[in-house]
Amino acid sequence: MGRVLAYAGAVAVPLGAGALLHLWGSWSMRSPLGTPTALAVLVGLVLAGLAVAAHNALFREGGSVLALVLLLAGLGAVWIEARDSRVRGATVECVVVGKVRVTDHPTFGEGGPEPKRLYHHTLDCPGGYPDRFAWEEKLGEAGKRLTIAYDPAHRMDPIPADENVARGSLVIPSVLLVLTSALSVTAIALEGTGERVW
């Protein structure tokens, strides 16, 4: 019976932790309560820590180090996917007012980021937010209407609504967490044989 529970835990811990972290990340970043980013990250780290502790508790002989690394990578990928573009849950149609201001941001040193040019648009939006907007290309002169996606809790900068799409995918975190489960199941199967799975 103990072996069955260990196998069940080897599957449930990574997949369950991933699901819980995704639910928390999605909810906290879209919450109408405006959960502070620091609190969202702190709870995410606590969930990841509990998953690591539960993972380690499954093994008498230490388990697989590679499974632990994949667990952490998978949970990190879950967090990135969960928060990616989800915090900008509102859109507003604004009008560009005044002249668009341009600033250049040079780079220094070898290996630094590329120089960047930003176009600063002053906006007139219903409700007053956002009132200004910087982007890497000019989106229009005075009088042009723009649809802007923004976070009502102001945790991230606004972006053009057509850019507010998820860049992540659940495929990568899912693959990492399934591999974690497979390695953990293999490590449990090999306990007592003297063999180890990395």
Side-chain angles (χ1 to χ4, degrees):
M1 184 65 170
R3 201 93 161 151
V4 172
L5 288 175
Y7 283 126
V11 173
V13 167
L15 301 181
L20 283 174
L21 190 59
H22 190 272
L23 287 171
W24 168 252
S26 297
W27 179 84
S28 66
M29 293 296 184
R30 294 185 100 164
S31 165
L33 304 175
T35 309
T37 302
L39 176 62
V41 170
L42 179 63
V43 172
L45 288 172
V46 168
L47 284 172
L50 290 173
V52 168
H55 177 268
N56 286 340
L58 288 170
F59 301 102
R60 292 185 304 251
E61 297 178 9
S64 165
V65 174
L66 181 57
L68 186 58
V69 170
L70 287 174
L71 175 64
L72 292 172
L75 293 177
V78 165
W79 180 259
I80 290 167
E81 194 284 330
R83 86 180 157 114
D84 182 31
S85 82
R86 293 175 188 270
V87 296
R88 297 176 183 98
T91 58
V92 64
E93 191 168 299
C94 305
V95 177
V96 177
V97 294
K99 186 173 174 162
V100 176
R101 190 172 52 91
V102 179
T103 58
D104 288 309
H105 303 270
T107 187
F108 300 99
E110 189 176 327
E114 292 289 318
K116 189 183 283 189
R117 172 170 280 181
L118 290 178
Y119 296 86
H120 301 269
H121 305 77
T122 304
L123 302 175
D124 179 21
C125 302
Y129 184 81
D131 58 354
R132 63 182 58 95
F133 176 70
W135 197 243
E136 292 180 18
E137 59 188 71
K138 190 174 187 176
L139 298 176
E141 295 288 352
K144 170 136 187 193
R145 292 191 166 282
L146 302 176
T147 304
I148 304 293
Y150 69 97
D151 171 26
H154 302 203
R155 289 166 292 193
M156 288 187 74
D157 292 334
I159 62 172
D162 58 356
E163 293 286 329
N164 192 34
V165 294
R167 306 281 183 216
S169 166
L170 281 177
V171 172
I172 292 172
S174 298
V175 167
L176 290 171
L177 294 175
V178 167
L179 282 173
T180 300
S181 294
L183 284 170
S184 297
V185 165
T186 304
I188 290 169
L190 292 177
E191 277 186 352
T193 65
E195 294 183 51
R196 287 188 54 106
V197 61
W198 294 99

